[in-house]
Amino acid sequence: MGAMAKLAHRVIVTHQLPEEWIADLRDNCNALVGPPTSEVAGLSAELQRHLPSADGLLTLLTVKVDAELLKKAQNLRVVSQMAVGVDNIDLNACTQRGIPVGHTPGVLTDATADLAMLLLLAASRRLLETNRDAREGRWGTWQPERWLGADLAGKTLGIVGMGAIGQATARRAKAFGMNIIYTNRSPKPAAEREFDATRLKLDELLTVSDFVSLHTPLSAETRHLIDAAALAQMKPTAILINTARGPVVDTDALVAALRAGQIRAAGLDVTDPEPLPPNHALWSLDNCVIAPHIGSATENTRRKMAQLAVTNLLAGLRGERLPHCANPTVYEK
Ligand code: DGY
């Protein structure tokens, strides 16, 4: 790490993180760390008061970094998000202010793809529903026709968004004997070769897939990409997996489709809203497996994400190009 006058920079870390994860930040900056995430989701009132003097902001995806926040943070020179997705951040507003935004691609790819497969398997083999039946005394004798699920081998997995996580999911699915098709803004020739995969339009992919796994960032273009019309195109035996962002799916339409048996099941690591309230209709559906946004939640992955966020932040404070920048056009100015 290049020389940096210790404590010269004032940095806001929006929430408490394990000290070991942010040791480099503590060593190099005057870091003001927020409350535990369990206390407040956004930026605490206390930290908001310190925005005017902050040079850097290390943030989580639960904090809205918008024009209003930026207006209060006139000294801000870098924003660093501890996540790969940056839909909580107004990238245009940051770019206009010349503020690079860091994020953490790569380090969470495998963990998130593992979780996509976990949901795919759990939803197809009805793991939660059967576990609950058994726990609650409804095991009974072994019954040949009971608790039947769906096979994976020979089935078609449609990947929506063939980026790093989409590809890692395809790689895992291939090992289960699945066929891969995908949709993506641009063709991915290397992925086509590796997975023997064909690129289709979304409409076609939805019609022929046995499983659909979402891996797109959330943007104006992808909000409610899977709406009532999209769900109606899917096979009645199809299973939808979402490890991307909740609002990529229209939740009301999904509830209706799952209730009506318009699709077989869903496996969700992300929902809209988040957190999903305990009385939400999705919880009442046996054919919906829900995890509380834990795609990247392994010890190694979360530590690496924090460390990468710190690395991005320190680079920005030194005036260097961020190793992982979500708004690279900021450097074209
Ligand atoms: C991300 O990084 O965007 C995930 O949603 C959290 O790991």
Side-chain angles (χ1 to χ4, degrees):
M1 185 178 305
M4 183 182 278
K6 195 173 172 195
L7 304 187
H9 300 290
R10 288 168 184 271
V11 164
I12 287 178
V13 180
T14 63
H15 293 88
Q16 260 176 35
L17 294 170
E19 281 298 318
E20 180 224 337
W21 295 0
I22 56 166
D24 265 359
L25 203 61
R26 291 278 196 203
D27 286 349
N28 289 287
C29 307
N30 181 354
L32 200 60
V33 178
T37 43
S38 54
E39 278 178 24
V40 49
L43 194 64
S44 72
E46 156 82 6
L47 288 185
Q48 291 198 33
R49 280 198 291 280
H50 290 273
L51 276 175
S53 58
D55 301 302
L57 179 69
L58 194 155
T59 187
L60 304 186
L61 51 80
T62 47
V63 178
K64 226 178 168 37
V65 181
D66 55 10
E68 199 186 325
L69 181 148
L70 294 176
K71 209 166 140 197
K72 292 182 197 150
Q74 283 302 323
N75 281 341
L76 202 61
R77 287 188 286 131
V78 55
V79 171
S80 179
Q81 164 117 314
M82 186 186 148
V84 64
V86 286
D87 46 280
N88 56 312
I89 300 176
D90 186 336
L91 286 186
N92 284 336
C94 288
T95 307
Q96 269 166 25
R97 276 270 307 275
I99 299 173
V101 177
H103 67 148
T104 62
V107 292
L108 49 77
T109 300
D110 284 327
T112 309
D114 287 348
L115 198 88
M117 282 311 289
L118 172 64
L119 290 172
L120 195 150
L121 285 161
S124 62
R125 300 303 296 271
R126 305 168 63 175
L127 184 66
L128 300 192
E129 176 196 350
T130 57
N131 176 273
R132 199 182 51 240
D133 279 351
R135 270 169 184 267
E136 294 176 359
R138 294 186 293 278
W139 189 325
T141 54
W142 187 84
Q143 296 169 48
E145 77 294 0
R146 196 174 177 207
W147 290 326
L148 304 184
D151 289 310
L152 268 56
K155 295 292 177 64
T156 297
L157 171 62
I159 299 269
V160 178
M162 196 53 121
I165 300 173
Q167 289 180 36
T169 304
R171 196 164 293 123
R172 285 155 176 73
K174 210 55 195 165
F176 280 83
M178 302 184 83
N179 305 311
I180 309 296
I181 56 178
Y182 77 103
T183 178
N184 199 68
R185 260 200 298 215
S186 54
K188 295 281 183 172
E192 289 180 15
R193 282 192 299 277
E194 181 179 350
F195 310 123
D196 193 18
T198 309
R199 177 168 166 246
L200 298 177
K201 290 192 165 53
L202 179 64
D203 285 2
E204 295 171 287
L205 176 140
L206 292 173
T207 317
V208 299
S209 292
D210 299 301
F211 296 83
V212 173
S213 191
L214 306 177
H215 300 282
T216 57
L218 175 63
S219 64
E221 215 185 338
T222 61
R223 184 173 292 273
H224 287 195
L225 185 69
I226 304 301
D227 57 7
L231 288 160
Q233 286 178 298
M234 292 172 67
K235 294 182 180 179
T237 49
I239 294 179
L240 177 70
I241 305 300
N242 189 6
T243 54
R245 282 292 183 265
V248 175
V249 176
D250 176 343
T251 303
D252 292 342
L254 178 63
V255 169
L258 288 170
R259 273 199 182 128
Q262 198 174 31
I263 63 170
R264 182 200 282 259
L268 311 174
D269 182 44
V270 287
T271 57
D272 181 23
E274 260 179 44
L276 199 61
N279 60 352
H280 195 281
L282 277 177
W283 291 117
S284 68
L285 301 172
D286 274 342
N287 54 350
C288 190
V289 175
I290 303 167
H293 205 147
I294 55 167
S296 62
T298 71
E299 288 156 16
N300 275 337
T301 299
R302 286 280 165 85
R303 194 188 61 252
K304 285 185 194 162
M305 287 166 70
Q307 287 170 345
L308 193 46
V310 168
T311 301
N312 280 328
L313 192 74
L314 293 178
L317 292 172
R318 285 195 297 264
E320 293 168 7
R321 199 182 172 102
L322 308 196
H324 293 285
C325 184
N327 60 338
T329 54
V330 74
Y331 296 115
E332 288 167 14
K333 284 190 156 187

